[in-house]
Amino acid sequence: MSSTATRSADIRLIQDQSTWLQKALFALQKADVAHGKLADSRGEDRGPYVLKTDDTEISMEAIEGALEERIQELLTTTREARKAVR
């Protein structure tokens, strides 16, 4: 496989990763909205949306922020790689 073909394949894989992370972010945001609607329907305080793992709580806000940051990094990498291929 030529160097240009390898770069193009790499760009596609980076784009795929970004696309799946964007879908994951969208799904997490939808889950957060559903969490809020459930709290509202029960007349409860919404409170922060967190995931619990063992003795640790991870806020959805932190996860979403990390995803957004990684997505932006991948998009930047893709743009730069496309410029280099041209």
Side-chain angles (χ1 to χ4, degrees):
M1 191 180 276
S2 74
S3 178
T4 302
T6 302
R7 285 187 194 153
S8 294
D10 285 353
I11 291 169
R12 281 192 301 277
L13 292 171
I14 293 168
Q15 286 177 303
D16 285 350
Q17 186 182 151
S18 175
T19 297
W20 284 110
L21 290 175
Q22 288 174 41
K23 289 178 182 187
L25 179 61
F26 179 77
L28 290 173
Q29 290 169 341
K30 288 293 198 177
D32 190 27
V33 168
H35 169 73
K37 287 180 180 181
L38 178 61
D40 289 346
S41 74
R42 293 178 174 175
E44 299 173 349
D45 180 29
R46 184 175 190 283
Y49 190 34
V50 297
L51 295 177
K52 295 177 183 178
T53 173
D54 297 327
D55 296 329
T56 305
E57 288 188 353
I58 304 168
S59 76
M60 292 302 286
E61 188 175 297
I63 293 170
E64 290 173 357
L67 283 172
E68 289 170 351
E69 186 176 316
R70 181 64 179 147
I71 290 164
Q72 287 307 312
E73 290 171 3
L74 292 169
L75 292 174
T76 299
T77 300
T78 301
R79 274 192 300 276
E80 291 171 358
R82 282 186 180 150
K83 287 179 185 177
V85 171
R86 291 182 191 163

